[in-house]
Amino acid sequence: MRPYDTILVVDWSAAEGVRRAEKDAIWIGIARNGAAEAPVHMPTRHKAEAWLADTLRTEVAAGRRVMAAFDFPFGYPKGFARAVTGRDDTLALWDWLAARIKDDAKGRNNRFAVASELNRLFPGTGPFWGKPNEADWPDLPYRGTARDGHGMAEKRACDLAAKASSSVWQLFFNPTVGSQALMGLPMLSRLRRIKGVAAWPFEPWQDAPAVLTEIWPGLIEPAVKAAGDGIRDTHQVRLLSLALSRLPAAELGAMMDVEAPEEGWILGTGHSARLVELADQPLAPPPLSNDCFALPPGVEWTPVDEALSLLQGRLRPVTAPETVAAATADGRILAAPAIAVRANPPGPNSAVDGYGFAHAATGEGPQTLPLTPGRAAAGAPFAGTVPHGQAVRILTGALLPDGVDTVVLEEDTRTDGASVAFNGPVKPRANTRRAGEDVDAGDILLPEGAWLRPPDLALLAAAGVREVSVRRPLRVGVLSTGDELAVPGSTMEPARTYDANRPMLLALAARWGHAAVDLGHVADDRDALRDRLDGAQADVILTSGGASAGDEDHVSALLQDEGALTSWRIALKPGRPLALGMRGGVPIFGLPGNPVASFVCALIFARPALSLMAGGGWVEPLVMTVPAAFEKRKKPGRREYLRARLGPEGVETFASEGSGRVSGLSWADGLVELPDGPATIMRGDPVRFLPYAGFGLV
């Protein structure tokens, strides 16, 4: 069976009115290639059907196979279709309902009247039951126990097999799916007429570009409970779409291979444990390919911009998502968009301390309104309605009472305790805030890939978001190699070099929000290096030293023998070839052993690459154009980065360009970037300055 590229799971609703982004609204889960997107909220059935129709057409036109699964019954117990249409044809029953169900743009519908008409087709008391009150629709019993003689089974065979709790005949009182079916089947009657769409299991679906299926959220109830707080419906559609998307095509095809010509079938019945397993399974991105660092044929020296472009195009996120409390998510990367659970502000309220009234009761010139007893305060709303022509005391942040749409500022009034006087006219809705003025429920607060900051946590809290899906922190291993290295302060031998790169690179990884993993120091010993890399618990490894082609450059030699190695001769100064390799699915960045060159390569290449692998997207350095407080003549051929800092006359550079002068890194507060071509810099000339702060170093 051809696999599905896109899975849609629809949580339908028969409710009247325009529904906000809350429980029992219409929610649509979307998963593509084993990854779930943020559920989509639909305020009405009309908008949901239009969205579904457009999405089905778009996916089919793009050559993507799509499944749309709905959480209401596609059929009724055996014999019902014949009793209504004269045929054992469920699709004819869909058309019969589509011709009779009326549903306007505000969700007002006639489902109880249609159910009454259906009941009159059966002997005794018809099968449908449940309604808002006992008086209306006399052919529709208020309670299910009042029915007899209709001859229909209470549940379908698939309802019994799946242990579904409700009956398709029940139209009111929870739990119920009967009303959803009456309001959903007419929509399916229309959707199945879109070119390329087939209704499972009633039509040939095996090769159809788009397939409509029935699903039941109860199949993954343990996974939904484990999802924690938030809108339960959104957890259901997200996890169901995710589980179906993760099923191998052959396994999903076997689940769909059923015989149910009239009653239909619930997809996944008998496979609940498997669906729960897939819904609970953390998403693990596939490993990077071994040739992702390979240079195009014939390329020897690579310009900086071209090298950056190659990295950006070949790397991708490698960390799985996890759910954490929003309040503790500072510095984390969103794995899915954060959606507002509640509007901010949640209701219309006052922006000032003053007096509230109905604007229509006022006019021009001096105004005097009697005061209604009581007041409205933040957290203590006014109980009741303010009579037309009267005013009420109101404080900043208080919900506007019924009867109030305008507030006059306290400083613009006088009062004797019984009345309030002010000059008109006052603008309609003056000094008020509308509900959702900041954000509406269902709005995307922050996109996937956003690095969460303290202001973002405030936004999430204000919109009622308690949990967010974030990427697991990228584990960045840092390894130093070489016999010449020693622990700082451990020896005074002039032949030994203190290991300055490892603490520097570990600190950089931590500053950039990653989980820094100290892999220590390995001498020039191939077996010891192999053991250290084998035991590394890291998603990516930064090494310094040993990455060239000398006799003691064991990192490059080991990668050449056991992995994949590419040595990029990047045209920059300071710097040497940047070694990029793959070993056991783990990318390895071989940085120069010289601390100055290692630092520059880490800022320019490792920082954006690590951000992309962590799920935060490719990041560009902050660039400022400032006057030069130095002079320099530069030859063509390499881009140069000079240690620099801002001074009163512009940006000045370190006294020596020697890459062995580590003190220049600490002296500087940024880098001056000189172009690839020749350049003559005079004092006062504009130059590009990349401050350390723009690299996250403050």
Coordinates of all heavy atoms in Angstrom, one line a residue, residues 33-101:
N33 N 4.8 12.7 8.0 CA 6.0 12.0 8.1 C 6.5 11.7 9.5 O 7.6 11.8 9.9 CB 7.1 12.7 7.3 CG 6.8 12.9 5.9 OD1 6.3 12.0 5.2 ND2 7.0 14.1 5.3
G34 N 5.5 11.3 10.4 CA 5.8 11.0 11.8 C 6.0 12.1 12.7 O 6.5 11.9 13.8
A35 N 5.7 13.4 12.3 CA 5.9 14.5 13.1 C 4.5 15.3 13.2 O 3.9 15.5 12.1 CB 7.0 15.4 12.6
A36 N 4.1 15.6 14.4 CA 2.8 16.3 14.6 C 3.0 17.8 14.5 O 4.0 18.4 15.0 CB 2.2 15.9 15.9
E37 N 2.0 18.5 14.0 CA 2.0 19.9 14.0 C 1.0 20.4 15.1 O 0.3 19.6 15.7 CB 1.5 20.5 12.6 CG 2.5 20.0 11.5 CD 2.0 20.6 10.1 OE1 1.1 21.4 10.1 OE2 2.6 20.2 9.1
A38 N 0.9 21.7 15.3 CA 0.0 22.2 16.3 C -1.4 22.0 15.8 O -1.7 22.3 14.7 CB 0.3 23.7 16.6
P39 N -2.3 21.5 16.7 CA -3.7 21.3 16.3 C -4.4 22.6 15.8 O -4.0 23.7 16.4 CB -4.4 20.8 17.5 CG -3.3 20.1 18.3 CD -2.1 20.9 18.0
V40 N -5.2 22.5 14.9 CA -5.9 23.7 14.3 C -7.3 23.8 14.9 O -8.1 22.8 14.9 CB -6.0 23.6 12.8 CG1 -6.7 24.8 12.2 CG2 -4.5 23.6 12.2
H41 N -7.7 25.0 15.3 CA -9.0 25.2 15.9 C -10.0 25.7 14.8 O -9.6 26.6 14.0 CB -9.0 26.2 17.0 CG -10.3 26.7 17.4 ND1 -10.6 28.1 17.2 CD2 -11.4 26.2 17.9 CE1 -11.9 28.3 17.6 NE2 -12.4 27.1 18.1
M42 N -11.2 25.2 14.7 CA -12.2 25.7 13.8 C -13.4 26.2 14.6 O -14.0 25.4 15.4 CB -12.6 24.6 12.8 CG -11.5 24.2 11.9 SD -11.2 25.5 10.7 CE -9.5 25.0 10.2
P43 N -13.8 27.5 14.4 CA -14.9 28.0 15.2 C -16.3 27.5 14.8 O -17.2 27.5 15.7 CB -14.8 29.5 15.0 CG -14.1 29.7 13.7 CD -13.1 28.5 13.6
T44 N -16.4 27.1 13.6 CA -17.8 26.6 13.1 C -17.6 25.4 12.2 O -16.5 25.2 11.7 CB -18.5 27.7 12.4 OG1 -17.8 28.0 11.1 CG2 -18.7 29.0 13.2
R45 N -18.7 24.7 12.0 CA -18.6 23.5 11.1 C -18.4 24.0 9.7 O -17.8 23.4 8.9 CB -19.9 22.7 11.2 CG -20.0 21.8 12.5 CD -21.3 21.0 12.5 NE -22.4 21.9 12.7 CZ -22.9 22.3 13.9 NH1 -22.2 22.1 15.0 NH2 -23.9 23.1 14.0
H46 N -19.0 25.2 9.3 CA -18.9 25.7 8.0 C -17.4 25.9 7.6 O -16.9 25.5 6.6 CB -19.6 27.0 7.8 CG -21.1 26.8 7.5 ND1 -21.8 27.6 6.6 CD2 -22.0 25.9 7.9 CE1 -23.0 27.2 6.6 NE2 -23.2 26.1 7.3
K47 N -16.7 26.6 8.6 CA -15.3 26.9 8.3 C -14.4 25.6 8.3 O -13.5 25.4 7.6 CB -14.8 27.8 9.4 CG -15.3 29.2 9.2 CD -14.6 30.3 10.1 CE -15.2 31.7 9.8 NZ -14.5 32.7 10.5
A48 N -14.8 24.6 9.2 CA -14.1 23.4 9.2 C -14.2 22.6 7.9 O -13.2 22.1 7.4 CB -14.6 22.5 10.4
E49 N -15.4 22.5 7.4 CA -15.6 21.8 6.1 C -14.9 22.5 5.0 O -14.3 21.8 4.1 CB -17.1 21.8 5.8 CG -17.4 21.0 4.5 CD -18.9 20.8 4.2 OE1 -19.7 21.0 5.2 OE2 -19.2 20.5 3.0
A50 N -14.9 23.9 5.0 CA -14.2 24.6 3.9 C -12.7 24.3 4.0 O -12.0 24.1 3.0 CB -14.5 26.1 4.0
W51 N -12.2 24.3 5.2 CA -10.7 24.0 5.4 C -10.4 22.6 5.0 O -9.4 22.4 4.3 CB -10.4 24.2 6.9 CG -8.9 24.1 7.2 CD1 -8.0 25.2 7.3 CD2 -8.2 22.9 7.5 NE1 -6.8 24.7 7.6 CE2 -6.8 23.3 7.8 CE3 -8.5 21.6 7.6 CZ2 -5.8 22.4 8.1 CZ3 -7.5 20.7 7.9 CH2 -6.2 21.1 8.2
L52 N -11.2 21.7 5.4 CA -10.9 20.3 5.0 C -11.0 20.1 3.5 O -10.1 19.4 2.9 CB -11.9 19.4 5.7 CG -11.7 19.2 7.2 CD1 -13.0 18.6 7.8 CD2 -10.5 18.3 7.5
A53 N -12.0 20.7 2.9 CA -12.1 20.5 1.4 C -10.9 21.1 0.7 O -10.3 20.5 -0.2 CB -13.4 21.2 0.9
D54 N -10.5 22.3 1.2 CA -9.3 23.0 0.6 C -8.1 22.2 0.8 O -7.2 22.0 -0.1 CB -9.2 24.4 1.1 CG -8.0 25.1 0.5 OD1 -8.0 25.4 -0.7 OD2 -7.0 25.4 1.3
T55 N -7.9 21.6 2.0 CA -6.7 20.8 2.3 C -6.7 19.5 1.5 O -5.6 19.2 1.0 CB -6.7 20.5 3.8 OG1 -6.6 21.7 4.6 CG2 -5.4 19.7 4.2
L56 N -7.8 18.9 1.4 CA -7.8 17.6 0.6 C -7.4 17.9 -0.9 O -6.6 17.2 -1.5 CB -9.2 17.0 0.6 CG -9.6 16.4 2.0 CD1 -11.1 15.9 1.9 CD2 -8.7 15.2 2.3
R57 N -8.0 19.0 -1.4 CA -7.7 19.3 -2.8 C -6.2 19.7 -3.0 O -5.5 19.3 -3.9 CB -8.5 20.5 -3.3 CG -10.0 20.1 -3.5 CD -10.8 21.3 -4.1 NE -12.2 20.9 -4.3 CZ -13.2 21.3 -3.5 NH1 -12.9 22.1 -2.4 NH2 -14.4 21.0 -3.7
T58 N -5.7 20.5 -2.0 CA -4.3 20.9 -2.1 C -3.3 19.7 -2.0 O -2.3 19.6 -2.7 CB -4.0 21.9 -0.9 OG1 -4.8 23.0 -1.1 CG2 -2.5 22.4 -1.0
E59 N -3.6 18.8 -1.0 CA -2.7 17.7 -0.9 C -2.7 16.8 -2.1 O -1.7 16.3 -2.6 CB -3.1 16.9 0.4 CG -3.0 17.6 1.7 CD -1.5 17.8 2.1 OE1 -0.8 16.8 2.2 OE2 -1.1 19.0 2.2
V60 N -3.9 16.5 -2.6 CA -4.0 15.6 -3.8 C -3.3 16.3 -5.0 O -2.6 15.6 -5.7 CB -5.5 15.4 -4.1 CG1 -5.6 14.7 -5.5 CG2 -6.1 14.5 -3.0
A61 N -3.5 17.6 -5.2 CA -2.9 18.3 -6.3 C -1.3 18.3 -6.2 O -0.6 18.2 -7.2 CB -3.4 19.7 -6.4
A62 N -0.8 18.3 -4.9 CA 0.6 18.3 -4.7 C 1.2 16.9 -4.8 O 2.4 16.7 -4.6 CB 0.9 18.9 -3.4
G63 N 0.4 15.8 -5.0 CA 0.9 14.5 -5.1 C 1.1 13.8 -3.7 O 1.7 12.8 -3.7
R64 N 0.6 14.4 -2.7 CA 0.7 13.8 -1.3 C -0.6 13.1 -1.0 O -1.7 13.6 -1.1 CB 1.0 14.9 -0.3 CG 2.3 15.7 -0.5 CD 2.5 16.6 0.7 NE 1.6 17.7 0.7 CZ 1.9 18.9 0.1 NH1 3.0 19.1 -0.5 NH2 1.0 19.9 0.1
R65 N -0.4 11.8 -0.5 CA -1.5 11.0 -0.1 C -2.0 11.4 1.3 O -1.1 11.6 2.2 CB -1.2 9.5 -0.1 CG -2.4 8.7 -0.1 CD -2.2 7.2 -0.1 NE -3.4 6.5 -0.4 CZ -3.6 5.2 -0.2 NH1 -2.6 4.5 0.4 NH2 -4.8 4.6 -0.5
V66 N -3.3 11.6 1.5 CA -3.8 12.1 2.7 C -4.9 11.2 3.3 O -5.7 10.7 2.5 CB -4.2 13.6 2.5 CG1 -5.3 13.7 1.5 CG2 -4.8 14.2 3.8
M67 N -4.9 11.0 4.6 CA -6.0 10.4 5.3 C -6.6 11.4 6.2 O -6.0 12.1 6.9 CB -5.5 9.2 6.1 CG -6.7 8.6 7.0 SD -6.1 7.3 8.2 CE -5.7 6.0 7.0
A68 N -8.0 11.5 6.2 CA -8.7 12.3 7.1 C -9.6 11.4 7.9 O -10.5 10.8 7.4 CB -9.6 13.4 6.3
A69 N -9.3 11.4 9.2 CA -10.0 10.5 10.2 C -10.9 11.3 11.0 O -10.5 12.3 11.6 CB -9.0 9.7 11.0
F70 N -12.2 10.9 11.2 CA -13.2 11.6 12.0 C -13.6 10.8 13.2 O -13.7 9.6 13.1 CB -14.4 11.9 11.1 CG -14.0 12.8 9.9 CD1 -13.4 12.2 8.8 CD2 -14.2 14.2 9.9 CE1 -13.1 13.0 7.7 CE2 -13.9 15.0 8.8 CZ -13.3 14.4 7.7
D71 N -14.0 11.5 14.3 CA -14.3 10.8 15.5 C -15.8 10.6 15.7 O -16.3 10.7 16.8 CB -13.8 11.6 16.7 CG -14.5 12.9 16.9 OD1 -15.1 13.5 16.0 OD2 -14.5 13.4 18.1
F72 N -16.6 10.3 14.6 CA -18.0 10.0 14.7 C -18.3 8.8 13.8 O -17.6 8.5 12.9 CB -18.9 11.2 14.4 CG -18.6 11.8 13.0 CD1 -19.2 11.2 11.9 CD2 -17.9 13.0 12.9 CE1 -19.0 11.8 10.6 CE2 -17.7 13.5 11.6 CZ -18.2 12.9 10.5
P73 N -19.4 8.1 14.1 CA -19.7 6.9 13.3 C -20.0 7.2 11.9 O -20.7 8.2 11.6 CB -20.9 6.3 14.0 CG -20.9 6.9 15.4 CD -20.3 8.3 15.3
F74 N -19.4 6.4 11.0 CA -19.7 6.5 9.6 C -21.0 5.8 9.2 O -21.5 6.0 8.1 CB -18.5 6.0 8.8 CG -17.4 7.0 8.6 CD1 -17.2 8.1 9.4 CD2 -16.5 6.9 7.5 CE1 -16.2 9.0 9.3 CE2 -15.5 7.8 7.3 CZ -15.3 8.8 8.2
G75 N -21.4 4.9 10.0 CA -22.6 4.1 9.7 C -23.4 3.8 10.9 O -23.1 4.2 12.0
Y76 N -24.6 3.1 10.7 CA -25.5 2.8 11.7 C -25.7 1.3 11.8 O -25.2 0.6 10.9 CB -26.9 3.4 11.5 CG -26.9 4.9 11.7 CD1 -26.4 5.8 10.6 CD2 -27.3 5.5 12.9 CE1 -26.4 7.2 10.8 CE2 -27.3 6.9 13.0 CZ -26.9 7.7 12.0 OH -26.8 9.1 12.2
P77 N -26.3 0.7 12.9 CA -26.5 -0.7 12.9 C -27.2 -1.3 11.7 O -28.0 -0.6 11.0 CB -27.3 -0.9 14.2 CG -26.9 0.2 15.1 CD -26.7 1.4 14.1
K78 N -26.9 -2.5 11.4 CA -27.4 -3.2 10.2 C -28.9 -3.1 10.1 O -29.6 -3.3 11.0 CB -27.0 -4.7 10.2 CG -27.3 -5.4 9.0 CD -26.8 -6.9 9.1 CE -27.2 -7.6 7.8 NZ -26.7 -9.0 7.8
G79 N -29.3 -2.7 8.9 CA -30.8 -2.6 8.6 C -31.3 -1.2 8.6 O -32.3 -0.9 8.0
F80 N -30.5 -0.3 9.2 CA -31.0 1.1 9.3 C -31.0 1.8 7.9 O -32.0 2.5 7.5 CB -30.1 1.9 10.2 CG -30.5 3.3 10.4 CD1 -31.6 3.6 11.2 CD2 -29.9 4.4 9.8 CE1 -32.0 5.0 11.4 CE2 -30.3 5.7 10.0 CZ -31.4 6.0 10.8
A81 N -29.9 1.6 7.1 CA -29.9 2.3 5.8 C -31.1 1.8 4.9 O -31.7 2.6 4.2 CB -28.6 2.0 5.1
R82 N -31.4 0.5 4.9 CA -32.5 0.0 4.1 C -33.8 0.6 4.6 O -34.7 0.9 3.8 CB -32.5 -1.5 4.2 CG -33.8 -2.1 3.5 CD -33.6 -3.6 3.3 NE -32.6 -3.9 2.3 CZ -32.9 -3.9 1.0 NH1 -34.1 -3.6 0.5 NH2 -31.9 -4.3 0.1
A83 N -34.0 0.7 6.0 CA -35.3 1.2 6.5 C -35.5 2.7 6.1 O -36.6 3.1 5.9 CB -35.3 1.1 8.0
V84 N -34.4 3.4 5.8 CA -34.5 4.8 5.5 C -34.5 5.1 4.0 O -35.3 5.8 3.5 CB -33.3 5.6 6.2 CG1 -33.4 7.1 5.7 CG2 -33.4 5.5 7.7
T85 N -33.6 4.4 3.3 CA -33.4 4.6 1.8 C -34.0 3.5 0.9 O -34.0 3.7 -0.3 CB -31.9 4.8 1.5 OG1 -31.3 3.6 1.7 CG2 -31.3 5.9 2.4
G86 N -34.3 2.4 1.5 CA -34.7 1.2 0.7 C -33.6 0.4 0.2 O -33.8 -0.5 -0.6
R87 N -32.3 0.8 0.6 CA -31.2 0.0 0.1 C -30.2 -0.2 1.2 O -30.1 0.6 2.2 CB -30.5 0.8 -1.0 CG -31.2 0.9 -2.3 CD -30.4 1.7 -3.4 NE -30.3 3.1 -3.1 CZ -29.4 3.9 -3.7 NH1 -28.5 3.4 -4.5 NH2 -29.4 5.2 -3.4
D88 N -29.4 -1.2 1.1 CA -28.3 -1.5 2.1 C -27.1 -0.7 1.7 O -26.0 -1.2 1.4 CB -28.0 -3.0 2.2 CG -29.1 -3.8 2.7 OD1 -29.9 -3.3 3.5 OD2 -29.3 -4.9 2.2
D89 N -27.2 0.6 1.6 CA -26.2 1.5 1.0 C -26.0 2.7 2.0 O -26.8 3.6 2.1 CB -26.6 2.0 -0.3 CG -25.5 2.8 -1.0 OD1 -24.5 3.2 -0.4 OD2 -25.7 3.1 -2.2
T90 N -24.9 2.6 2.7 CA -24.6 3.6 3.7 C -24.3 5.0 3.0 O -24.7 6.0 3.6 CB -23.3 3.2 4.5 OG1 -23.6 2.0 5.2 CG2 -23.0 4.3 5.5
L91 N -23.7 5.0 1.8 CA -23.5 6.2 1.2 C -24.8 6.9 0.7 O -24.9 8.1 0.7 CB -22.5 6.0 0.0 CG -21.1 5.5 0.4 CD1 -20.3 5.3 -0.9 CD2 -20.4 6.3 1.4
A92 N -25.8 6.1 0.4 CA -27.1 6.7 0.0 C -27.7 7.3 1.3 O -28.4 8.3 1.2 CB -28.0 5.6 -0.5
L93 N -27.5 6.7 2.4 CA -27.9 7.3 3.7 C -27.3 8.6 4.0 O -27.9 9.6 4.4 CB -27.7 6.3 4.8 CG -28.1 6.8 6.2 CD1 -29.6 7.1 6.3 CD2 -27.7 5.8 7.3
W94 N -25.9 8.7 3.7 CA -25.3 10.0 3.8 C -25.9 11.1 3.0 O -26.2 12.2 3.4 CB -23.8 9.9 3.4 CG -22.9 9.1 4.2 CD1 -23.3 8.3 5.3 CD2 -21.5 9.0 4.1 NE1 -22.2 7.7 5.8 CE2 -21.1 8.1 5.2 CE3 -20.5 9.5 3.3 CZ2 -19.7 7.7 5.3 CZ3 -19.2 9.1 3.4 CH2 -18.8 8.3 4.5
D95 N -26.3 10.7 1.7 CA -26.9 11.7 0.8 C -28.3 12.1 1.3 O -28.7 13.2 1.2 CB -27.0 11.1 -0.6 CG -25.6 10.9 -1.2 OD1 -24.6 11.4 -0.7 OD2 -25.5 10.1 -2.2
W96 N -29.0 11.1 1.9 CA -30.4 11.4 2.4 C -30.3 12.4 3.5 O -31.1 13.3 3.6 CB -30.9 10.0 3.0 CG -32.4 10.1 3.4 CD1 -33.5 9.8 2.6 CD2 -32.9 10.5 4.6 NE1 -34.6 9.9 3.3 CE2 -34.3 10.4 4.6 CE3 -32.3 11.0 5.8 CZ2 -35.2 10.8 5.6 CZ3 -33.2 11.3 6.9 CH2 -34.6 11.2 6.8
L97 N -29.3 12.2 4.4 CA -29.1 13.2 5.5 C -28.7 14.6 5.0 O -29.1 15.6 5.4 CB -28.1 12.7 6.5 CG -28.5 11.5 7.3 CD1 -27.4 10.9 8.1 CD2 -29.7 11.9 8.3
A98 N -27.8 14.6 4.0 CA -27.3 15.8 3.4 C -28.4 16.6 2.8 O -28.4 17.9 2.8 CB -26.2 15.6 2.4
A99 N -29.4 16.0 2.3 CA -30.6 16.7 1.7 C -31.5 17.3 2.7 O -32.3 18.1 2.4 CB -31.3 15.7 0.8
R100 N -31.4 16.9 4.0 CA -32.3 17.3 5.0 C -31.7 18.1 6.2 O -32.4 18.9 6.7 CB -33.1 16.0 5.6 CG -34.0 15.4 4.6 CD -34.4 14.0 5.0 NE -35.4 13.5 4.0 CZ -35.1 13.0 2.8 NH1 -33.9 13.0 2.4 NH2 -36.1 12.6 2.0
I101 N -30.5 17.8 6.5 CA -29.9 18.6 7.6 C -29.6 20.0 7.2 O -29.0 20.3 6.1 CB -28.6 17.9 8.1 CG1 -28.9 16.6 8.8 CG2 -27.7 18.8 8.9 CD1 -29.5 16.8 10.2

